[in-house]
Amino acid sequence: MKRPTDRRTVLKTVGAAAVAAVAGPVAAQSTDIRGTVTFEGGAVIPKGRLEIYLEDPAIQDSARRRATETRIRSDGGSKTIAFSLSPPASSKASPTLRIVARLERADGWLMARGSTQIEAGSPVNVTLNAVMY
């Protein structure tokens, strides 16, 4: 024989569903830093290796200055390249933290570089500027 559902059971179920609905989207939000890289003047990004990393110029130790990095290959046919970086767990939101992007040829020569400050909650756009030797 089935027991009838009482008011307390219904309220517990509704409360649990409400908590799950509120906590679900918050827990699913990513803390990754997402953005795009473009070339100066809206030109096509040349072929090469694109290195994107977080840097805190306030840190004097050059070994710890770079926090997180990613590498992407540019095929020479895109005007924008999207990237995602995981923020370092050890550092707090430093006001001097910036994203640096470097484009190098296959032989290691630097072709372009760009950087921008990180603003919390807004997408990041780094513009590469051609390097003059």
Side-chain angles (χ1 to χ4, degrees), residues 43-59:
V44 173
I45 299 172
K47 186 176 183 176
R49 291 186 313 245
L50 187 60
E51 181 180 8
I52 304 166
Y53 56 91
L54 288 173
E55 179 182 66
D56 192 350
I59 297 175

Side-chain angles (χ1 to χ4, degrees), residues 72-129:
I72 303 170
R73 287 237 178 246
S74 172
D75 60 2
S78 301
K79 287 191 175 191
T80 62
I81 296 176
F83 68 89
S84 175
L85 289 172
S86 298
S90 62
S91 74
K92 297 176 186 165
S94 171
T96 58
L97 194 64
R98 64 182 177 179
I99 292 183
V100 178
R102 295 172 45 97
L103 180 65
E104 297 177 353
R105 293 189 319 202
D107 62 3
W109 278 83
L110 181 64
M111 295 171 41
R113 183 184 186 281
S115 67
T116 188
Q117 291 294 122
I118 296 176
E119 294 178 20
S122 61
V124 178
N125 183 24
V126 180
T127 302
L128 293 172
N129 298 301

Side-chain angles (χ1 to χ4, degrees), residues 18-69:
V19 169
V22 170
V26 173
Q29 289 179 355
S30 175
T31 59
D32 287 354
I33 300 167
R34 298 183 186 283
T36 58
V37 175
T38 57
F39 202 75
E40 63 183 337
V44 173
I45 299 172
K47 186 176 183 176
R49 291 186 313 245
L50 187 60
E51 181 180 8
I52 304 166
Y53 56 91
L54 288 173
E55 179 182 66
D56 192 350
I59 297 175
Q60 299 301 320
D61 183 10
S62 61
R64 291 185 2 194
R65 181 176 278 189
R66 279 192 190 185
T68 304
E69 68 180 65

Side-chain angles (χ1 to χ4, degrees), residues 1-10:
M1 181 168 184
K2 190 173 173 185
R3 220 170 68 168
T5 307
D6 63 346
R7 183 172 183 229
R8 182 179 293 162
T9 305
V10 171

